[in-house]
Amino acid sequence: MKLLLDRKKEYGVVLDGGGARGTYQIGAWKALKEAGIRIHAVAGTSVGALNGALICMDDLKKAQDIWKSMTFSKVMNVDDGWMEGLFEREHKVKDVLSQIWSVVTAGGIDVTPLKELIHELVDEEKIRQSGKEFYLLTFSLTDFKELDLGLEDIPEGRLEDFLLASAYLLGFKNEKMGGKRYIDGGVVNNVPLGSLVKRGCKDIIEIRIYGPGREPRVKLPEDAQIYRIGPRVRLGSILEFDGRKSRQNMKIGYYDAKRMLYGLEGLIYYIDQEHAEVWYENRTKHLSEIEKAELGLVLKLKPGVSDKLLYLAMLEAGAKLMKVPKYHIYTVDELREQVAKRYEEQADQTELPGFMHTLIRIERDSKMNLKGRNFLTLKDFTPEEITYLIDLAADLKEKKKKGIPVDHYRGKNVALIFEKTSTRTRCAFEVAAHDMGMGTTYLDPSGSQIGKKESIEDTARVLGRMFDGIEYRGYGQEIVEDLAKYAGVPVWNGLTNEYHPTQMLADMLTVREHLEHLKGVKFVYMGDARYNMGNSLMVTCAKLGMDFVACTSKKYFPNEELVDYCKKVAAGTGASITLTEDVAEGTKDADVIYTDVWVSMGEPDEVWAERLRDLMPYQVNKAAMANAKPTAIFMHCLPAFHDLKTKIGKEVYEKFGYSELEVTDEVFESEQSVVFDEAENRMHTIKAVMLATLGE
């Protein structure tokens, strides 16, 4: 997940009042700490002031422990059993009224326990020395004046008194402090945002619990940025000081903070949404507009919502119905798998609402029916779908070997857009298309106006009206995503800077042919793991339950966001993700050792010099292969610089003195090398992708 806040900045935190609901704020604080968010100022009122003091003390464990074990009698001089019965509605009305009357006649609820709790919790010296600014709000009844107090305004030794003063709810027995009476600051200002704004704080996090009280409007500077964490469910009464309720609210606060920090989607659930809009369009495209409108009414959605919002609403409603646990961060794929699994376990599915059946039908139709789907990255495909494509490729390969034609697509045509030229990719697409009876049109940089006179969007809309499918090989992933968005026909990624999905299918088919299985295979990638091959292999291994190892210098590790995504996927498939700079550790007992070229053509000499210097320790040589299993195979997506039989190879040797780069000729030409099986399998797997997405 990508953090939306800047760890380099320091933030002010605003904590409103809300009595027992305050435990929510401690859960949110935990998430902020875990994310590495730096807090330099805190402003709070009522329970928010007390929690603010705990934040300044920076003792999360202490705060959690006290709230987890919270009882009514730790705040008020009451009987816990009677109060629990009150909130469970076990008492008769006349008994409740009688108890209220006795409290009123006694001058209010005795909060001596709260005073003692504050004394037990608060370390004034630690707060004053924390380096954090701390402000609390209360209201002086004696002076009839709102007080916005910083530490410098509170006499030494009086902080506990003013924390209690800030929390004097109406109905509490109000005793004088320092000769004056106070009431809860939330009565006049329950959201002390202005307390930080007027002191120049511009990056502010509000942790809201929506207690009763006044919320004055605050004029913000133009460059101010407010981030709000707030509940979407009821947190209970402000007087419900119950340990069980506190633990629940703390959990809600924790996940709600993560929703804000990482931009999680979902109204009920916490969803790390990775799919492009087109993924949802493909999933719902078989629903008529009438069906979509009816589903929207049932799910209480606004008319005309996007396919994405419609699908997510169905998914969340289905998850709630199937009692999938809420307090967990799911990917869309994880959540729908949970829903589908629990649906299948239902003894009587006929009693379920219609939207539930529609959702499952969508899942079943899309699981192995890939017609109309784009093939842009394997992140968009489930393990079952990837395995299906590998199986289909193996079947098509067998049929070709036996001379059994699979030419159902006579009369269809595909466009092959190559902004980067390639031998294997072009030949694989052309042979695959011709085998299936299709015509092909090859468009290289000199043969089209793409990006020069015609935008990607316009190109997509033109070609989509002429061709039945479009392949793209070139630069940024956003280009192929735009093609897919506007084309209206399946688009296939032949390679971008970020992903190389067709190569992945060829690689996995090759591994399975030689090792007879995929799950549990230790797959080691050596070299520069930051781009399409490293990215794609890591995603694919995670999806298929394999043990992926990136063995390279730390500066060439894959980006953290993608590593986090793959680790999350791996947790559900039994895979593992390892990044190491140690060749001996990385290659030990490997089943597969894989590498790719280190430098792209056209890059300057200084880049060549840097890469060669950094990556030469990660060359795949005899020693690396010897450290792997005896049955290990060597793989390379080609072309490979393993000798001096190429123009570029000779130039590199003349400039830098290396006759072999990412792999030695000895390994490349060894019996363990399966590189030409991979090259052949590109064609069979590409044929499978086209057949599956075009449909029979």
Side-chain angles (χ1 to χ4, degrees), residues 178-231:
K180 297 184 178 184
R181 296 187 191 277
Y182 301 87
I183 60 169
D184 191 309
V187 173
V188 292
N189 186 351
N190 199 44
V191 187
L193 173 62
S195 184
L196 293 185
V197 171
K198 73 182 183 182
R199 292 176 171 99
C201 190
K202 294 180 179 179
D203 295 291
I204 300 172
I205 300 169
E206 285 187 356
I207 307 178
R208 298 298 312 275
I209 52 179
Y210 300 107
R214 181 169 172 263
E215 297 184 21
R217 294 184 66 179
V218 178
K219 186 176 181 180
L220 298 173
E222 289 185 3
D223 55 347
Q225 184 67 57
I226 309 297
Y227 304 90
R228 182 172 287 116
I229 301 166

Side-chain angles (χ1 to χ4, degrees), residues 408-642:
H408 338 309
Y409 295 124
R410 296 190 179 279
K412 292 187 181 291
N413 295 279
V414 295
L416 308 177
I417 302 173
F418 278 71
E419 291 196 290
K420 286 184 179 178
T421 58
S422 168
T423 303
R424 279 153 306 287
T425 303
R426 176 180 179 179
C427 292
F429 269 100
E430 289 194 337
V431 173
H434 296 161
D435 275 2
M436 293 190 290
M438 290 189 288
T440 60
T441 298
Y442 176 73
L443 300 168
D444 67 12
S446 65
S448 78
Q449 299 297 330
I450 301 171
K452 291 176 286 187
K453 293 183 179 179
E454 195 166 45
S455 68
I456 288 292
E457 293 88 342
D458 291 353
T459 299
R461 288 180 285 193
V462 169
L463 297 184
R465 293 171 178 243
M466 297 181 181
F467 294 92
D468 300 282
I470 301 169
E471 179 271 352
Y472 173 83
R473 177 185 170 91
Y475 298 95
Q477 182 74 9
E478 70 277 3
I479 299 173
V480 76
E481 297 279 359
D482 280 346
L483 274 172
K485 183 178 180 180
Y486 292 99
V489 298
V491 173
W492 312 299
N493 180 3
L495 176 141
T496 61
N497 295 339
E498 292 84 359
Y499 296 108
H500 199 356
T502 56
Q503 183 67 51
M504 295 304 101
L505 297 181
D507 292 339
M508 296 304 123
L509 175 60
T510 307
V511 172
R512 197 173 71 174
E513 287 175 341
H514 287 271
L515 302 182
E516 300 182 348
H517 70 290
L518 291 173
K519 196 171 183 65
V521 165
K522 182 176 179 180
F523 195 107
V524 181
Y525 181 82
M526 300 179 70
D528 190 344
R530 300 172 298 173
Y531 300 112
N532 45 41
M533 288 305 301
N535 291 346
S536 295
L537 285 168
M538 184 167 62
V539 169
T540 307
C541 288
K543 293 264 185 176
L544 298 180
M546 302 164 73
D547 298 322
F548 176 80
V549 179
C551 185
T552 184
S553 169
K554 191 173 183 178
K555 69 191 280 188
Y556 298 101
F557 281 176
N559 74 74
E560 289 184 11
E561 185 179 351
L562 187 62
V563 171
D564 289 343
Y565 166 83
C566 290
K567 284 183 176 179
K568 191 180 293 182
V569 173
T573 64
S576 66
I577 307 297
T578 303
L579 311 180
T580 181
E581 294 186 286
D582 189 329
V583 175
E585 176 192 336
T587 59
K588 184 174 174 58
D589 295 326
D591 295 294
V592 180
I593 295 182
Y594 199 113
T595 192
D596 190 14
V597 294
W598 292 342
V599 187
S600 298
M601 299 304 100
E603 292 194 270
D605 286 355
E606 55 266 26
V607 174
W608 280 86
E610 180 186 9
R611 298 271 177 84
L612 295 176
R613 182 183 64 250
D614 293 341
L615 295 175
M616 193 54 69
Y618 302 96
Q619 181 190 65
V620 182
N621 50 35
K622 186 178 179 180
M625 295 302 299
N627 198 42
K629 290 179 180 176
T631 54
I633 58 176
F634 168 73
M635 303 181 73
H636 195 305
C637 56
L638 303 179
F641 295 109
H642 59 98

Side-chain angles (χ1 to χ4, degrees), residues 364-379:
R364 286 173 176 170
D365 289 348
S366 17
K367 199 159 204 171
M368 296 309 162
N369 178 11
L370 306 183
K371 185 177 181 179
R373 292 269 299 273
N374 298 303
F375 190 73
L376 309 181
T377 167
L378 289 186
K379 288 172 71 175

